[in-house]
Amino acid sequence: MKPKVYVTRQIPDEVLAMIRQTCEVRVWSESDVPVPRDVLEREIADVEGLYCLLTDQVDEALLERAPRLKVVSNMAVGYNNIDVEAATRRGIMVTNTPDVLTETTADLTFALLMATARRLLEASEYLRRGAWRTWSPMLLTGQDVFGSTLGIIGMGRIGEAVVRRAKGFNMNVLYCNRTRKPVAEEAYGIRYTDMNELLRQSDFVCVLAPYTPQTHDLIGAAELRQMKPTAVLINTARGGIVNEDALYEALRDGTIWAAGLDVFEREPVVPDHPLLTLPNLVSLPHIGSASVATRIKMASLAANQLIDAMSGHRPAHLVNPSVKEIN
């Protein structure tokens, strides 16, 4: 008999067909919203594989309801929605989808930086509401990107991809990271520094670090106060890395000039969130990897990880490689 798997969201038909060749599949398909917790708890009880998204909390309480579960395949690079330690203790493989979204997310990061620096959304709304009456010397003036200093917090694959874009704008790039990247320094002419200097020197600060307990509230009031009053903060990594209360105060009081966010600590963000009242915030609904080609690649890679595990093969992108020693 085919192994049973549960898919927590509607995914492209061609990807679902791939999984069905190997597995007996049930799908949450009533609407394009996260599967309700009670439904997930019921569905996971007798499956061997789970195909999930960042919106699904796969915690220890859920895993306790899944005695047959062998793999959790997450259609994302990040996996802070999954209790990896609890899964590992149970011998459950956890996989993710790295590499495929690097360039697309770097595109979005740089687009958000540009849109925030040049007040593009604000200018478009200004025009649409009929406020544009005449040309004025200082109307909707923004910050220059070309030749400015960019600080990147977290120099992984996406960080390096953003560097490549920044070099096309002749930007001076500083970075801080858990480990130094001498190869990237040589290749791109970037400079390694600590976060304090990065915050003080940068015209733009891009947060591209993974979310971990150590990076929670990494950027708070003290860090924002170190930034230039003309500086722009961009976060396309994960919500929770930037303290939203501190950011609101910094933007409101002019401690920093503007911010662009693709991520929030709680998603979807509520429409009456204080940050959304500010004209110097550009906000997006977590669309970092949202190109048609990339999302299909992500879905396919997550499916292949699931299929490999269900077929008795070691998936290529195991988050918890030690799990094999437990099985």
Side-chain angles (χ1 to χ4, degrees), residues 77-78 80 101-113 150-166 171 173-178 181 190 195 198-199 204-212 215-216 218-219 232-242 260-263 286-289:
V77 175
N80 52 294
L101 51 68
T102 297
E103 300 299 337
T104 303
T105 304
D107 281 349
L108 187 280
T109 301
F110 210 80
L112 183 55
L113 184 154
L150 171 65
I152 297 178
I153 300 172
M155 188 54 69
R157 295 182 184 92
I158 296 171
E160 290 194 27
V162 170
V163 169
R164 292 193 291 273
R165 287 150 180 79
M171 297 179 85
V173 180
L174 310 176
Y175 80 97
C176 61
N177 196 56
R178 287 180 299 177
K181 299 293 185 74
I190 62 179
M195 193 166 74
L198 182 148
L199 293 171
F204 299 90
V205 174
C206 281
V207 178
L208 294 169
Y211 179 83
T212 67
T215 60
H216 180 75
L218 182 68
I219 305 296
V232 174
L233 177 70
I234 302 294
N235 184 11
T236 55
R238 284 290 181 269
I241 299 176
V242 177
L261 303 179
D262 186 42
V263 290
H286 204 149
I287 58 169
S289 62

Side-chain angles (χ1 to χ4, degrees), residues 266-282:
R266 288 184 175 82
E267 297 180 353
V269 66
V270 293
D272 61 351
H273 193 295
L275 279 168
L276 302 186
T277 67
L278 298 173
N280 54 345
L281 176 84
V282 177

